[in-house]
Amino acid sequence: MDDSSLIRFIEQVSGEVHLRVEENLGDGFVRLRTAEAERRQAKHDIRHVEDIIIELLRNARDACATRVFISTFKEGDERRLTVIDDGSGIPLAMQALIFEPRVTSKLDDMVMDDWGVHGRGMALYSIKSNTLEARVCDSSPGAGSALTVLINTSELPERSDQSTLPTLERNDDGLPYISRGPHNIIRNTIEFALIHRSRGRQQGITVYLGSPSEIVATLIDYGQFKLGRERLLFCSDLNTLPLCERLAASADAAELVEASRNLGLDISERTAHRIISGQISPLKPMLDVVMPRRVTREQGAIDLTKDTRGLKLAREDVDDFSRALERAFEPLAKRYYLSLSEMPKVSVKGETITVRFPFEKEL
């Protein structure tokens, strides 16, 4: 008799309660079996949809991701979340196991952060225990990961207001913080990005949040920047590319639809045509949405809206210009083994626009 047959036999004879209880202590007290205790803990760990966002972001951070793309879409009571990152990736043999309890890659370096302990091997198990579906869409070592989750919001609640942006203010040291706003998906994402933003030479995590079509457009824009035209022209197999660069190499709308769905981003061919034609624009990083160009006093950045000595540029235009300059710098960076330590800095004085490229030499 195999293990599954034995379990079914025990269930028939003594009932399911026998499998949940290790010892009856009397007077209504019992000692739960480990599996049942884990199941209850997993249910307790995730109480809202917003908790899932944080756990998936922490998971990407611990995989050394520097960019995270979050797609969110709700239809009726069901919300689909898909998280794509450029982290270390998950071996094929582990992609189902990571949703089991106590499975972790952090044996010696459990993390304590603003949300508590991370690294017990319970986060993804907790997510799977509280959702209709949780799976790895695609991943491989060094190529990043794409995970998707389907949630019944009538069973796992979320904030009723999912559209309001939080308000940022500065403390006495000039550092930005969230002062108010609903604790929705947007706020949780921005809080994470704010804590993990780049500071000087320290590499941060850039987070994007939007609809599936917006995330596809953003991944194409990012892939084109990373790959360059030459590599795109000679790329014959999308699967050889890192996940975050794959969509940029799609030959046509049909291929883009298939490649997107393989990453957990469900779009129609009509939507794919709109993305390719530029009708759907790439997203800005979440911090740039609430804090354009990540202006902070410690970086000494110039607030262009307060420059009354000459030309005034809108922050949005400066941000777009800075992105274009970042792409233009790429060929030079590859040729001379350089990497930008920050976004190109644009300043205006009188009738002069000055651009600075803070860079580091790669070893």
Side-chain angles (χ1 to χ4, degrees):
M1 179 180 293
D2 60 23
D3 290 345
S4 60
S5 299
L6 179 60
I7 290 173
R8 284 196 298 270
F9 174 75
I10 294 173
E11 286 177 335
Q12 291 171 359
V13 172
S14 58
E16 183 186 351
V17 67
H18 180 82
L19 297 177
R20 294 187 283 126
V21 175
E22 179 178 296
E23 181 182 1
N24 189 337
L25 304 175
D27 295 323
F29 288 88
V30 298
R31 189 189 311 279
L32 294 174
R33 290 186 179 274
T34 301
E36 175 62 13
E38 289 168 345
R39 186 187 70 81
R40 296 187 181 195
Q41 178 187 345
K43 287 288 186 182
H44 178 79
D45 283 350
I46 301 292
R47 296 183 176 183
H48 301 92
V49 170
E50 289 78 10
D51 295 332
I52 292 178
I53 284 286
I54 290 298
E55 291 303 333
L56 291 175
L57 281 167
R58 294 166 93 193
N59 192 64
R61 176 201 63 198
D62 294 348
C64 302
T66 60
R67 276 178 171 78
V68 184
F69 303 83
I70 304 173
S71 161
T72 177
F73 172 74
K74 188 175 183 182
E75 186 173 16
D77 288 334
E78 292 185 354
R79 180 175 293 280
R80 170 76 66 181
L81 294 172
T82 300
V83 176
I84 303 166
D85 66 59
D86 64 351
S88 55
I90 307 164
L92 181 61
M94 292 299 301
Q95 290 178 16
L97 293 176
I98 61 171
F99 292 100
E100 295 185 3
R102 305 189 309 278
V103 175
T104 181
S105 62
K106 293 173 281 295
L107 177 61
D108 299 317
D109 55 350
M110 192 166 59
V111 177
M112 173 65 77
D113 60 17
D114 293 64
W115 297 276
V117 175
H118 199 241
R120 299 173 297 135
M122 296 297 292
L124 292 177
Y125 174 62
S126 297
I127 290 174
K128 191 173 183 66
S129 299
N130 285 278
T131 59
L132 300 175
E133 177 190 25
R135 63 182 174 88
V136 177
C137 300
D138 199 350
S139 185
S140 60
S145 301
L147 283 74
T148 190
V149 177
L150 182 62
I151 307 155
N152 184 342
T153 57
S154 64
E155 296 179 0
L156 186 70
E158 65 178 15
R159 297 287 174 175
S160 57
D161 181 358
Q162 289 293 341
S163 60
T164 299
L165 287 167
T167 300
L168 266 67
E169 295 182 6
R170 296 184 188 278
N171 60 22
D172 294 338
D173 296 323
L175 299 175
Y177 71 96
I178 295 178
S179 61
R180 58 186 179 276
H183 290 266
N184 53 18
I185 292 173
I186 299 173
R187 174 166 177 165
N188 277 262
T189 303
I190 292 173
E191 280 181 333
F192 184 91
L194 197 58
I195 290 170
H196 296 89
R197 70 191 185 280
S198 59
R199 300 177 185 178
R201 296 173 68 89
Q202 177 185 333
Q203 178 70 59
I205 302 176
T206 303
V207 185
Y208 302 85
L209 174 69
S211 67
S213 59
E214 289 172 328
I215 291 298
V216 170
T218 307
L219 284 167
I220 290 174
D221 182 66
Y222 173 71
Q224 289 173 343
F225 161 64
K226 290 292 289 183
L227 291 168
R229 291 184 178 180
E230 290 184 7
R231 285 185 65 191
L232 282 172
L233 288 173
F234 294 102
C235 181
S236 58
D237 185 0
L238 271 62
N239 295 323
T240 62
L241 297 172
L243 268 61
C244 293
E245 300 171 22
R246 247 172 233 182
L247 302 190
S250 300
D252 52 32
E255 192 169 273
L256 178 58
V257 168
E258 182 181 0
S260 299
R261 288 178 179 172
N262 289 340
L263 297 182
L265 302 169
D266 194 2
I267 62 170
S268 66
E269 191 162 331
R270 179 177 179 274
T271 298
H273 280 292
R274 292 182 62 214
I275 294 170
I276 292 171
S277 64
Q279 296 179 49
I280 299 177
S281 301
L283 295 164
K284 294 181 180 179
M286 290 305 294
L287 285 189
D288 289 354
V289 172
V290 292
M291 189 172 62
R293 291 195 69 241
R294 309 182 195 184
V295 175
T296 59
R297 289 181 192 169
E298 72 272 19
Q299 291 176 327
I302 296 174
D303 187 348
L304 296 175
T305 61
K306 296 180 181 179
D307 184 0
T308 59
R309 296 167 293 176
L311 175 67
K312 291 183 180 180
L313 297 178
R315 283 185 174 139
E316 183 175 327
D317 292 335
V318 172
D319 185 63
D320 291 341
F321 184 45
S322 183
R323 282 205 211 184
L325 291 169
E326 185 179 21
R327 294 190 191 96
F329 185 79
E330 185 68 14
L332 198 66
K334 290 179 179 178
R335 183 173 301 173
Y336 293 97
Y337 303 100
L338 307 174
S339 62
L340 287 174
S341 55
E342 298 178 39
M343 291 284 287
K345 293 188 175 182
V346 181
S347 60
V348 179
K349 184 175 182 181
E351 297 182 351
T352 302
I353 297 176
T354 303
V355 178
R356 292 189 296 130
F357 294 87
F359 67 86
E360 299 173 359
K361 293 182 179 180
E362 297 179 357
L363 299 178

